[in-house]
Amino acid sequence: MRFLPVSDQSMLVELQDLEHTLDLLAALQAELPAGVQELVPAARTILVSFDRWQTSAADLQRHMAALHLGRQARSAGQRVEIAVHYDGEDLADVAQILGIDVPELIRRHSGSDYSVAFCGFAPGFAYLTGGDPSLNVPRRSTPRTKVPAGSVAIAGTFSAVYPNDTPGGWQLLGRTEVPMWDLLRNPPALLQPGMLVRFVDASTAAGQALLQQQSAAKAQAPAAAEHTGAGMRVRATGLQTLVQDAGRAGQAGQGVSAAGALDQGAMRRANRLVGNDARQSVLESVAAGLQLQSLGATVVAVTGATGPLTVRSASGAAWQAERNAALNDGDVIQLGEPDSGVRSYVAVRGGWLVEPVLGSTSTDTLARIGPAALTTGQTLAVGDARDAAAVQAPDLNPPALPKAGETVVLDVVMGPRTDWFTPEAVALFAAQRWQVTPQSNRVGLRLAGEEALVRSQTQELPSEGTALGAIQVPASGQPVLFLADHPLTGGYPVIACIASYHLDLAAQVPVGGWLQFRPLAPFADLVG
């Protein structure tokens, strides 16, 4: 085992192959060490996220090094059959690569069971191992910009079904009508690690019978409950306003990352200002323009980006409000253009009444989980505030947020793939300023530097878990700093990761702002 640093609250364990990876995963799951929050397995690695107040990378390394691997019995789980229409765009090409005809390719792909090794890339995307050992083909040289949901594909020795429309470079053999990801199902992901999967040719009698069974088992959404209490009407949404909370941790088994508010500190401060639990739902609004009209008497607080906050009464009177304000029926509160930071957080006493998805009201823009972005005219229900705590005074020393054009220095932990870059690129990474481009969003900050980072290792990196704050470097050499809606796994090397105490600050850097990275220590393997 090789232990690689990721951040001050995560580490990457690199193993010989998939079999050893699954052995270690089974051993850790059988007796989860104290403080471990998430395990993200991949082909040859496991990303281990932990609470640094309960344990350390050194403690976890010693625990894993002492495990007896190779003895973990992995019993076969539930068996799932999936009817496939074998009409994929790459079917003939794959048959030619393997030196067989199309009917033989279909027979081999549907002729034996697969096992769900792990999930990643997208919610419900399961990496399937096993099957006929001859089915080992490379990815497409040029990935498709859009692979339709339900596409059945192979790459290397893996097989998979794409849960949603997404870019992808796997070879397409066919399609299925069975949804891999359905929020009306419990759990939403059809395939879970340990399950057995058998593909069935839909043109056969068995396939036709299976199609009929699957079409009769579609879930229906429950009726929404009516709310008659206080609320807020959205008069204007601004650039983008989403519902966020502390996130949905613990869903890695379904290929779902935590998401949640980008500036967790601002979320907690807004809730405390109105007497809510610190992890309660808030509205995360980008830049200026959000307008909310109070329906009944409400108390709101706004934190994060600083700037003018205006209240206008039903009679037309207007005044500048403090960070928390009591609103009467009909009052409208409006967020002005920020003078520092970029994201504001709006909490209401009693909390926003939003239906949770997988235990969280957070909107994950990449995975498309959670409430949709706010729309003009929408009414947001507000919870009962009678059990809320006392309203707290504003923080007299809020953190300083970056202004347009400023350079923000962020501490980073070097790794886990720093050694995939030339020494000159590693030095350049810290010496050069990087500008935040307009292509940035909640998935990540896309950065541009005067010089690109050059890799010393150019081979393909097998997909592995990616942490919040990871700085991934694609083929262009221009980094991407992953924020809360980042994919659970990635196939480009991560040169470094933002220290956890600077994550909130990174989320508040505006487009056009500059970043400079300050390594806390040179890159080195972890030694317990």
Side-chain angles (χ1 to χ4, degrees), residues 315-341:
S315 64
W319 61 94
Q320 294 298 304
E322 299 296 333
R323 292 289 91 183
N324 52 349
L327 303 180
N328 295 316
D329 184 39
D331 288 352
V332 175
I333 189 167
Q334 177 176 345
L335 275 62
E337 191 67 37
D339 50 44
S340 68

Side-chain angles (χ1 to χ4, degrees), residues 218-303:
K218 294 181 179 178
Q220 295 186 356
E226 184 178 358
H227 176 74
T228 58
M232 288 273 196
R233 179 172 293 118
V234 181
R235 296 280 297 271
T237 63
L239 185 60
Q240 183 190 59
T241 302
L242 304 170
V243 178
Q244 296 295 341
D245 61 9
R248 53 176 63 82
Q251 299 293 334
Q254 300 193 81
V256 179
S257 60
L262 294 191
D263 187 339
Q264 292 273 318
M267 174 200 72
R268 292 190 293 268
R269 287 191 295 276
N271 275 314
R272 287 196 293 265
L273 284 172
V274 294
N276 291 343
D277 180 278
R279 299 166 60 88
Q280 180 66 270
S281 304
V282 294
L283 303 181
E284 180 183 87
S285 190
V286 178
L290 177 63
Q291 295 183 38
L292 300 171
Q293 183 177 33
S294 183
L295 306 178
T298 57
V299 177
V300 298
V302 182
T303 59

Side-chain angles (χ1 to χ4, degrees), residues 117-479:
F118 55 91
C119 295
F121 176 63
F125 189 100
Y127 289 79
L128 308 178
T129 61
D132 192 299
S134 69
L135 300 183
N136 186 347
V137 296
R139 299 186 185 198
R140 288 173 52 86
S141 56
T142 304
R144 292 181 171 90
T145 57
K146 180 181 178 182
V147 176
S151 294
V152 179
I154 59 175
T157 58
F158 290 106
S159 191
V161 182
Y162 281 79
N164 296 301
D165 296 348
T166 181
W170 289 34
Q171 306 278 4
L172 306 186
L173 301 186
R175 56 190 168 83
T176 181
E177 298 166 23
V178 182
M180 295 297 105
W181 179 260
D182 185 352
L183 288 171
L184 301 180
R185 188 169 54 208
N186 186 20
L190 177 67
L191 304 180
Q192 305 283 327
M195 285 183 173
L196 296 178
V197 177
R198 172 66 71 99
F199 295 112
V200 180
D201 186 353
S203 66
T204 64
Q208 290 295 310
L210 189 56
L211 283 174
Q212 293 180 1
Q213 295 174 17
Q214 292 168 346
S215 64
K218 294 181 179 178
Q220 295 186 356
E226 184 178 358
H227 176 74
T228 58
M232 288 273 196
R233 179 172 293 118
V234 181
R235 296 280 297 271
T237 63
L239 185 60
Q240 183 190 59
T241 302
L242 304 170
V243 178
Q244 296 295 341
D245 61 9
R248 53 176 63 82
Q251 299 293 334
Q254 300 193 81
V256 179
S257 60
L262 294 191
D263 187 339
Q264 292 273 318
M267 174 200 72
R268 292 190 293 268
R269 287 191 295 276
N271 275 314
R272 287 196 293 265
L273 284 172
V274 294
N276 291 343
D277 180 278
R279 299 166 60 88
Q280 180 66 270
S281 304
V282 294
L283 303 181
E284 180 183 87
S285 190
V286 178
L290 177 63
Q291 295 183 38
L292 300 171
Q293 183 177 33
S294 183
L295 306 178
T298 57
V299 177
V300 298
V302 182
T303 59
T306 62
L309 192 63
T310 305
V311 176
R312 188 178 301 276
S313 70
S315 64
W319 61 94
Q320 294 298 304
E322 299 296 333
R323 292 289 91 183
N324 52 349
L327 303 180
N328 295 316
D329 184 39
D331 288 352
V332 175
I333 189 167
Q334 177 176 345
L335 275 62
E337 191 67 37
D339 50 44
S340 68
V342 68
R343 290 179 170 87
S344 298
Y345 293 84
V346 184
V348 63
R349 184 168 172 81
W352 304 105
L353 291 185
V354 181
E355 191 68 28
V357 177
L358 298 179
S360 168
T361 60
S362 171
T363 300
D364 186 328
T365 58
L366 180 66
R368 289 175 281 184
I369 300 173
L374 267 59
T375 57
T376 301
Q378 178 181 357
T379 298
L380 300 170
V382 174
D384 190 343
R386 285 177 293 183
D387 295 329
V391 172
Q392 296 187 18
D395 188 348
L396 298 179
N397 295 294
L401 298 182
K403 297 182 178 180
E406 288 186 345
T407 298
V408 177
V409 178
L410 299 175
D411 290 346
V412 296
V413 175
M414 300 304 292
R417 299 299 177 187
T418 309
D419 55 355
W420 278 53
F421 297 86
T422 66
E424 295 77 13
V426 175
L428 177 66
F429 170 74
Q432 179 172 261
R433 292 197 310 164
W434 303 90
Q435 190 169 35
V436 178
T437 72
Q439 290 72 41
S440 302
N441 51 32
R442 278 183 52 87
V443 176
L445 301 181
R446 293 186 177 272
L447 308 177
E450 185 176 345
E451 295 183 59
L453 300 178
V454 177
R455 285 167 54 171
S456 59
Q457 299 189 43
T458 57
Q459 71 269 30
E460 185 174 299
L461 175 70
S463 292
E464 56 193 26
T466 53
L468 175 62
I471 303 170
Q472 190 182 73
V473 184
S476 66
Q478 301 290 350

Side-chain angles (χ1 to χ4, degrees), residues 52-114:
R52 59 197 176 100
W53 302 110
Q54 296 186 53
T55 188
S56 67
D59 289 341
L60 293 174
Q61 182 181 348
R62 287 190 288 271
H63 176 90
M64 285 182 270
L67 292 173
H68 297 286
L69 302 182
R71 304 178 182 180
Q72 303 300 322
R74 295 191 297 275
S75 58
Q78 175 187 350
R79 190 170 184 269
V80 178
E81 293 187 333
I82 298 174
V84 179
H85 301 279
Y86 283 99
D87 55 4
E89 295 180 44
D90 302 319
L91 193 65
D93 290 342
V94 172
Q96 184 177 13
I97 291 171
L98 296 175
I100 58 179
D101 58 21
V102 168
E104 175 62 14
L105 172 57
I106 295 172
R107 188 194 68 78
R108 293 186 188 183
H109 190 257
S110 60
S112 56
D113 285 344
Y114 294 80

